[in-house]
Amino acid sequence: MIRILLADDHPVVREGLRAMLDAEPDLDVVAEAANGPQAEALAARHAPDIVLMDLRMPGGDGVDAIVRMTAAGLRCRMIVLTTYETDRDILRAVEAGAAGYLLKDMSRAELADAVRAAARGETVLAPSVAARLVDQLRTHPERPRLSERETAVLRLVSDGCTNAEIGRRLHVAESTVKTHLLRAFGKLGVDDRTAAVTSAMRFGLLD
């Protein structure tokens, strides 16, 4: 039996997913969460095999939850199930450790098969998502990898924030902000803030 945790902020969506999955003899929905932090707590408590994670939820982003669950050593396989398929969303999820990226327009049979494949250790991607990833690799074969904090700092730089303002927003020292910026500069091959933001956007690392 494959044990599944559902994480979605819409109760109707969770109800529909539960009905679809519980109808399969080898699938069992053991818990439901309305946001990322709830998903983390319930995954630690129930030890599911699979977590179906919505991407954008009030009270806790799905990718952030995947990062923390991976860091915590939880052994469940996490699959993003969403309506969004932008390049940035897909890359964030894959880099965070997601075992798959699926779209909510798939059929019950397709979803059940994807869950089974992920439980076997396979990576499961919607066809359009796979095509986007391939295109990204072709366009940016040496795409730099920024940390979550480096990305957060550059995002605030793009909003026009000073180092001091960034430090206050992220609750870190201004010297720490400078360190993150210097590391980002090195990874992006630039030497100033404007070029860093421009380069990060070109690589699809920022909106």
Side-chain angles (χ1 to χ4, degrees):
M1 185 70 72
I2 300 172
R3 294 161 49 81
I4 304 163
L5 186 155
L6 303 177
D8 195 291
D9 60 306
H10 294 100
V12 172
V13 173
R14 296 199 306 271
E15 183 178 344
L17 289 172
R18 177 183 281 275
M20 292 168 62
L21 295 168
D22 280 346
E24 301 291 325
D26 57 335
L27 306 181
D28 180 28
V29 176
V30 297
E32 299 180 18
N35 56 46
Q38 285 184 15
E40 296 168 47
L42 290 171
R45 183 186 311 166
H46 294 279
D49 303 298
I50 299 292
V51 177
L52 287 176
M53 183 82 73
D54 193 14
L55 195 63
R56 302 177 188 176
M57 297 176 283
D61 176 81
V63 172
D64 290 341
I66 290 173
V67 170
R68 289 191 292 267
M69 291 163 74
T70 300
L74 297 182
R75 300 180 66 83
C76 49
R77 304 266 292 167
M78 292 160 283
I79 303 172
V80 170
L81 181 62
T82 183
T83 57
Y84 302 100
E85 55 174 327
T86 66
D87 290 351
R88 180 173 175 272
D89 286 330
I90 295 167
L91 290 167
R92 281 185 67 224
V94 172
E95 291 175 350
Y101 197 109
L102 305 175
L103 302 177
K104 290 181 178 177
D105 61 358
M106 65 194 317
S107 69
R108 186 183 87 179
E110 290 171 332
L111 178 60
D113 286 344
V115 168
R116 295 184 185 108
R120 293 194 299 267
E122 300 175 22
T123 298
V124 291
L125 299 171
S128 60
V129 171
R132 284 178 175 273
L133 281 175
V134 170
D135 184 62
Q136 277 289 315
L137 289 173
R138 287 174 177 164
T139 307
H140 306 304
E142 297 181 2
R143 185 173 180 269
R145 297 173 64 88
L146 299 182
S147 69
E148 286 287 318
R149 186 48 61 92
E150 289 162 358
T151 302
V153 168
L154 284 183
R155 189 172 294 118
L156 290 172
V157 169
S158 71
D159 289 339
C161 295
T162 65
N163 288 355
E165 290 170 335
I166 294 170
R168 285 194 294 272
R169 292 200 188 188
L170 298 181
H171 308 292
V172 298
E174 187 173 348
S175 59
T176 301
V177 173
K178 292 178 181 177
T179 298
H180 288 310
L181 277 174
L182 288 174
R183 288 175 179 167
F185 289 176
K187 293 177 180 179
L188 295 167
V190 299
D191 55 13
D192 65 69
R193 295 158 64 93
T194 301
V197 170
T198 302
S199 180
M201 293 180 70
R202 179 169 56 85
F203 280 114
L205 301 172
L206 296 177
D207 292 331

PDB file of all heavy atoms in Angstrom, residues 16-34:
ATOM      1  N   GLY A  16     -11.523  16.066  -3.714  1.00  0.00           N
ATOM      2  CA  GLY A  16     -11.513  15.405  -5.016  1.00  0.00           C
ATOM      3  C   GLY A  16     -10.328  14.478  -5.188  1.00  0.00           C
ATOM      4  O   GLY A  16     -10.459  13.358  -5.701  1.00  0.00           O
ATOM      5  N   LEU A  17      -9.149  14.939  -4.761  1.00  0.00           N
ATOM      6  CA  LEU A  17      -7.948  14.105  -4.863  1.00  0.00           C
ATOM      7  C   LEU A  17      -8.071  12.853  -3.995  1.00  0.00           C
ATOM      8  O   LEU A  17      -7.693  11.754  -4.404  1.00  0.00           O
ATOM      9  CB  LEU A  17      -6.712  14.912  -4.455  1.00  0.00           C
ATOM     10  CG  LEU A  17      -6.265  16.002  -5.421  1.00  0.00           C
ATOM     11  CD1 LEU A  17      -5.158  16.846  -4.792  1.00  0.00           C
ATOM     12  CD2 LEU A  17      -5.777  15.384  -6.730  1.00  0.00           C
ATOM     13  N   ARG A  18      -8.595  13.035  -2.789  1.00  0.00           N
ATOM     14  CA  ARG A  18      -8.769  11.880  -1.895  1.00  0.00           C
ATOM     15  C   ARG A  18      -9.694  10.844  -2.532  1.00  0.00           C
ATOM     16  O   ARG A  18      -9.404   9.643  -2.511  1.00  0.00           O
ATOM     17  CB  ARG A  18      -9.321  12.323  -0.544  1.00  0.00           C
ATOM     18  CG  ARG A  18      -9.598  11.158   0.406  1.00  0.00           C
ATOM     19  CD  ARG A  18     -10.211  11.633   1.709  1.00  0.00           C
ATOM     20  NE  ARG A  18      -9.214  12.182   2.618  1.00  0.00           N
ATOM     21  CZ  ARG A  18      -8.490  11.443   3.458  1.00  0.00           C
ATOM     22  NH1 ARG A  18      -8.622  10.120   3.476  1.00  0.00           N
ATOM     23  NH2 ARG A  18      -7.621  12.016   4.266  1.00  0.00           N
ATOM     24  N   ALA A  19     -10.804  11.305  -3.093  1.00  0.00           N
ATOM     25  CA  ALA A  19     -11.753  10.376  -3.718  1.00  0.00           C
ATOM     26  C   ALA A  19     -11.101   9.631  -4.888  1.00  0.00           C
ATOM     27  O   ALA A  19     -11.292   8.417  -5.054  1.00  0.00           O
ATOM     28  CB  ALA A  19     -12.987  11.141  -4.192  1.00  0.00           C
ATOM     29  N   MET A  20     -10.319  10.358  -5.682  1.00  0.00           N
ATOM     30  CA  MET A  20      -9.654   9.739  -6.826  1.00  0.00           C
ATOM     31  C   MET A  20      -8.632   8.698  -6.392  1.00  0.00           C
ATOM     32  O   MET A  20      -8.583   7.585  -6.920  1.00  0.00           O
ATOM     33  CB  MET A  20      -8.974  10.825  -7.674  1.00  0.00           C
ATOM     34  CG  MET A  20      -9.918  11.767  -8.391  1.00  0.00           C
ATOM     35  SD  MET A  20      -9.060  13.213  -9.088  1.00  0.00           S
ATOM     36  CE  MET A  20      -7.959  12.429 -10.260  1.00  0.00           C
ATOM     37  N   LEU A  21      -7.829   9.048  -5.413  1.00  0.00           N
ATOM     38  CA  LEU A  21      -6.731   8.170  -5.012  1.00  0.00           C
ATOM     39  C   LEU A  21      -7.207   7.006  -4.164  1.00  0.00           C
ATOM     40  O   LEU A  21      -6.732   5.865  -4.323  1.00  0.00           O
ATOM     41  CB  LEU A  21      -5.676   8.985  -4.274  1.00  0.00           C
ATOM     42  CG  LEU A  21      -4.979  10.051  -5.128  1.00  0.00           C
ATOM     43  CD1 LEU A  21      -4.170  11.008  -4.241  1.00  0.00           C
ATOM     44  CD2 LEU A  21      -4.079   9.417  -6.167  1.00  0.00           C
ATOM     45  N   ASP A  22      -8.144   7.254  -3.258  1.00  0.00           N
ATOM     46  CA  ASP A  22      -8.645   6.172  -2.409  1.00  0.00           C
ATOM     47  C   ASP A  22      -9.430   5.137  -3.204  1.00  0.00           C
ATOM     48  O   ASP A  22      -9.663   4.023  -2.716  1.00  0.00           O
ATOM     49  CB  ASP A  22      -9.512   6.734  -1.283  1.00  0.00           C
ATOM     50  CG  ASP A  22      -8.684   7.288  -0.123  1.00  0.00           C
ATOM     51  OD1 ASP A  22      -7.465   6.996  -0.074  1.00  0.00           O
ATOM     52  OD2 ASP A  22      -9.241   8.002   0.728  1.00  0.00           O
ATOM     53  N   ALA A  23      -9.848   5.508  -4.418  1.00  0.00           N
ATOM     54  CA  ALA A  23     -10.558   4.551  -5.266  1.00  0.00           C
ATOM     55  C   ALA A  23      -9.613   3.485  -5.830  1.00  0.00           C
ATOM     56  O   ALA A  23     -10.067   2.434  -6.302  1.00  0.00           O
ATOM     57  CB  ALA A  23     -11.254   5.279  -6.411  1.00  0.00           C
ATOM     58  N   GLU A  24      -8.309   3.744  -5.748  1.00  0.00           N
ATOM     59  CA  GLU A  24      -7.317   2.787  -6.219  1.00  0.00           C
ATOM     60  C   GLU A  24      -6.965   1.814  -5.082  1.00  0.00           C
ATOM     61  O   GLU A  24      -6.702   2.252  -3.961  1.00  0.00           O
ATOM     62  CB  GLU A  24      -6.047   3.508  -6.683  1.00  0.00           C
ATOM     63  CG  GLU A  24      -6.269   4.502  -7.806  1.00  0.00           C
ATOM     64  CD  GLU A  24      -6.630   3.816  -9.113  1.00  0.00           C
ATOM     65  OE1 GLU A  24      -6.106   2.703  -9.372  1.00  0.00           O
ATOM     66  OE2 GLU A  24      -7.437   4.384  -9.883  1.00  0.00           O
ATOM     67  N   PRO A  25      -6.953   0.517  -5.346  1.00  0.00           N
ATOM     68  CA  PRO A  25      -6.764  -0.464  -4.264  1.00  0.00           C
ATOM     69  C   PRO A  25      -5.409  -0.404  -3.566  1.00  0.00           C
ATOM     70  O   PRO A  25      -5.291  -0.825  -2.416  1.00  0.00           O
ATOM     71  CB  PRO A  25      -6.954  -1.805  -4.971  1.00  0.00           C
ATOM     72  CG  PRO A  25      -6.659  -1.526  -6.417  1.00  0.00           C
ATOM     73  CD  PRO A  25      -7.144  -0.127  -6.654  1.00  0.00           C
ATOM     74  N   ASP A  26      -4.405   0.150  -4.250  1.00  0.00           N
ATOM     75  CA  ASP A  26      -3.059   0.163  -3.662  1.00  0.00           C
ATOM     76  C   ASP A  26      -2.638   1.541  -3.160  1.00  0.00           C
ATOM     77  O   ASP A  26      -1.489   1.743  -2.761  1.00  0.00           O
ATOM     78  CB  ASP A  26      -2.033  -0.325  -4.687  1.00  0.00           C
ATOM     79  CG  ASP A  26      -2.038   0.495  -5.967  1.00  0.00           C
ATOM     80  OD1 ASP A  26      -3.077   1.102  -6.289  1.00  0.00           O
ATOM     81  OD2 ASP A  26      -1.000   0.539  -6.653  1.00  0.00           O
ATOM     82  N   LEU A  27      -3.558   2.520  -3.159  1.00  0.00           N
ATOM     83  CA  LEU A  27      -3.242   3.872  -2.725  1.00  0.00           C
ATOM     84  C   LEU A  27      -4.095   4.242  -1.518  1.00  0.00           C
ATOM     85  O   LEU A  27      -5.289   3.939  -1.472  1.00  0.00           O
ATOM     86  CB  LEU A  27      -3.473   4.885  -3.851  1.00  0.00           C
ATOM     87  CG  LEU A  27      -2.764   4.616  -5.191  1.00  0.00           C
ATOM     88  CD1 LEU A  27      -3.076   5.731  -6.181  1.00  0.00           C
ATOM     89  CD2 LEU A  27      -1.269   4.462  -5.003  1.00  0.00           C
ATOM     90  N   ASP A  28      -3.495   4.933  -0.543  1.00  0.00           N
ATOM     91  CA  ASP A  28      -4.198   5.292   0.687  1.00  0.00           C
ATOM     92  C   ASP A  28      -3.805   6.696   1.129  1.00  0.00           C
ATOM     93  O   ASP A  28      -2.638   6.949   1.438  1.00  0.00           O
ATOM     94  CB  ASP A  28      -3.865   4.273   1.784  1.00  0.00           C
ATOM     95  CG  ASP A  28      -4.564   4.583   3.095  1.00  0.00           C
ATOM     96  OD1 ASP A  28      -5.655   5.186   3.056  1.00  0.00           O
ATOM     97  OD2 ASP A  28      -4.022   4.220   4.158  1.00  0.00           O
ATOM     98  N   VAL A  29      -4.755   7.629   1.136  1.00  0.00           N
ATOM     99  CA  VAL A  29      -4.504   8.981   1.625  1.00  0.00           C
ATOM    100  C   VAL A  29      -4.569   8.949   3.150  1.00  0.00           C
ATOM    101  O   VAL A  29      -5.622   8.672   3.736  1.00  0.00           O
ATOM    102  CB  VAL A  29      -5.528   9.984   1.063  1.00  0.00           C
ATOM    103  CG1 VAL A  29      -5.295  11.368   1.672  1.00  0.00           C
ATOM    104  CG2 VAL A  29      -5.432  10.059  -0.458  1.00  0.00           C
ATOM    105  N   VAL A  30      -3.443   9.232   3.808  1.00  0.00           N
ATOM    106  CA  VAL A  30      -3.368   9.109   5.266  1.00  0.00           C
ATOM    107  C   VAL A  30      -3.512  10.442   5.992  1.00  0.00           C
ATOM    108  O   VAL A  30      -3.760  10.459   7.202  1.00  0.00           O
ATOM    109  CB  VAL A  30      -2.044   8.437   5.687  1.00  0.00           C
ATOM    110  CG1 VAL A  30      -1.974   7.018   5.145  1.00  0.00           C
ATOM    111  CG2 VAL A  30      -0.835   9.259   5.232  1.00  0.00           C
ATOM    112  N   ALA A  31      -3.346  11.577   5.271  1.00  0.00           N
ATOM    113  CA  ALA A  31      -3.448  12.881   5.934  1.00  0.00           C
ATOM    114  C   ALA A  31      -3.618  13.977   4.894  1.00  0.00           C
ATOM    115  O   ALA A  31      -3.275  13.798   3.724  1.00  0.00           O
ATOM    116  CB  ALA A  31      -2.208  13.156   6.790  1.00  0.00           C
ATOM    117  N   GLU A  32      -4.146  15.129   5.349  1.00  0.00           N
ATOM    118  CA  GLU A  32      -4.334  16.293   4.489  1.00  0.00           C
ATOM    119  C   GLU A  32      -3.800  17.535   5.189  1.00  0.00           C
ATOM    120  O   GLU A  32      -3.974  17.689   6.396  1.00  0.00           O
ATOM    121  CB  GLU A  32      -5.824  16.508   4.174  1.00  0.00           C
ATOM    122  CG  GLU A  32      -6.480  15.367   3.432  1.00  0.00           C
ATOM    123  CD  GLU A  32      -7.956  15.653   3.159  1.00  0.00           C
ATOM    124  OE1 GLU A  32      -8.357  16.845   3.237  1.00  0.00           O
ATOM    125  OE2 GLU A  32      -8.696  14.699   2.886  1.00  0.00           O
ATOM    126  N   ALA A  33      -3.158  18.416   4.421  1.00  0.00           N
ATOM    127  CA  ALA A  33      -2.620  19.667   4.957  1.00  0.00           C
ATOM    128  C   ALA A  33      -3.112  20.829   4.097  1.00  0.00           C
ATOM    129  O   ALA A  33      -3.329  20.671   2.896  1.00  0.00           O
ATOM    130  CB  ALA A  33      -1.100  19.631   4.967  1.00  0.00           C
ATOM    131  N   ALA A  34      -3.265  21.996   4.719  1.00  0.00           N
ATOM    132  CA  ALA A  34      -3.738  23.181   4.005  1.00  0.00           C
ATOM    133  C   ALA A  34      -2.614  24.134   3.623  1.00  0.00           C
ATOM    134  O   ALA A  34      -2.838  25.113   2.914  1.00  0.00           O
ATOM    135  CB  ALA A  34      -4.774  23.919   4.847  1.00  0.00           C
TER     136      ALA A  34
END
